[in-house]
Amino acid sequence: MKKFLLFVTALLLVAGTYGTASSADVKSSSVDVKNGRKIFFKYCAKCHARDGSVSEYGRNKKPRPARDLRTNRLFISPAELRTIIKYGLYGREMKGWQSKLTDKEILDVAAFVRTLKYTPDIKAGKKFYEKRCASCHAQNGPGKKLFHAPDLDMSPLGAIEMGRVIRFGRHGTMMTPKRDMFKNTDIANVVAYLQSIKK
């Protein structure tokens, strides 16, 4: 019984870490977006650029370039974003900032990152789809029977779900993770295109 309780407690801690923050969380913490902007410009813009689009320095990071943060809403929940800022990202050059920033400052900078915006280019998304995705899913979205690829013009997935499937793959299928093959903006563009052709 004791082991079971420890297991449940661990699950609840994980859920709390990676769950989605509610509007109540944001209000109660009295987030300061202006302060977050200052912190972002001081510490984050070197890699991510002041507008979140990735700097020249960030593009040349090894082994993987910095990510475009303007698309963060498509892939990352508010709680995940705070966790990444605090502890860093395994396998990437994104280090944890918990020794440099207070929890309040992490909340502030995360709130600023959520204000960054990217307007997807549907035409670019269509071109990208035809070049990189149509070999499995066919030109206009209907799945090819050989690969059992889903019919994307009839997909029930919303933009966020679709973006996550493209980025992280789908277990048990031929859809492998594309997070290190496609840029965030490419995924955002192709998702916008796929949402536009849904029947």
Side-chain angles (χ1 to χ4, degrees), residues 77-137:
S77 75
E80 287 172 316
L81 179 59
R82 294 194 301 269
T83 301
I84 289 168
I85 295 167
K86 187 167 186 172
Y87 300 110
L89 207 51
Y90 180 76
R92 301 192 76 87
E93 291 298 298
M94 175 64 188
K95 66 177 184 175
W97 289 90
Q98 76 271 28
S99 61
K100 195 85 169 172
L101 303 176
T102 65
D103 285 348
K104 174 65 172 62
E105 288 172 326
I106 288 169
L107 278 172
D108 291 348
V109 76
F112 172 71
V113 170
R114 295 301 274 186
T115 69
L116 300 173
K117 290 192 171 52
Y118 175 74
T119 304
D121 183 336
I122 291 177
K123 285 184 181 175
K126 182 174 190 281
K127 282 183 188 172
F128 188 87
Y129 176 86
E130 288 168 350
K131 184 177 178 185
R132 304 301 296 271
C133 314
S135 58
C136 291
H137 293 283

Side-chain angles (χ1 to χ4, degrees), residues 43-58:
Y43 295 115
C44 316
K46 180 179 180 181
C47 290
H48 295 287
R50 289 167 77 90
D51 65 351
S53 65
V54 186
S55 67
E56 186 65 33
Y57 176 81

Side-chain angles (χ1 to χ4, degrees), residues 7 10 12 15-16 43 61-62 64 71 78 80 85 87 93 104 107 113 115 128 135 155 165 169 175 178 188 190 199:
F7 175 71
L12 290 172
Y43 295 115
K61 290 293 274 180
K62 303 294 181 195
R64 297 179 180 93
T71 59
E80 287 172 316
I85 295 167
Y87 300 110
E93 291 298 298
K104 174 65 172 62
L107 278 172
V113 170
T115 69
F128 188 87
S135 58
S155 175
V165 168
M175 183 65 185
K178 305 294 188 283
V190 81
K199 293 172 182 171

Side-chain angles (χ1 to χ4, degrees), residues 10-83:
L11 282 177
L12 290 172
L13 284 170
V14 170
T17 302
Y18 292 101
T20 304
S22 66
S23 55
D25 292 334
V26 174
K27 284 178 191 169
S28 67
S29 64
S30 62
V31 170
D32 185 344
V33 176
K34 284 184 181 175
N35 185 47
R37 182 174 179 266
K38 272 194 235 173
I39 295 165
F40 184 89
F41 285 177
K42 183 175 180 180
Y43 295 115
C44 316
K46 180 179 180 181
C47 290
H48 295 287
R50 289 167 77 90
D51 65 351
S53 65
V54 186
S55 67
E56 186 65 33
Y57 176 81
R59 277 193 288 277
N60 292 308
K61 290 293 274 180
K62 303 294 181 195
R64 297 179 180 93
R67 287 202 169 124
D68 189 313
L69 295 181
R70 297 171 301 168
T71 59
N72 77 88
R73 288 173 178 271
L74 191 59
F75 307 112
I76 308 168
S77 75
E80 287 172 316
L81 179 59
R82 294 194 301 269
T83 301

Side-chain angles (χ1 to χ4, degrees), residues 64 67 92 167 177-182:
R64 297 179 180 93
R67 287 202 169 124
R92 301 192 76 87
R167 188 166 176 183
K178 305 294 188 283
R179 60 178 167 242
D180 294 322
M181 291 171 63
F182 300 166

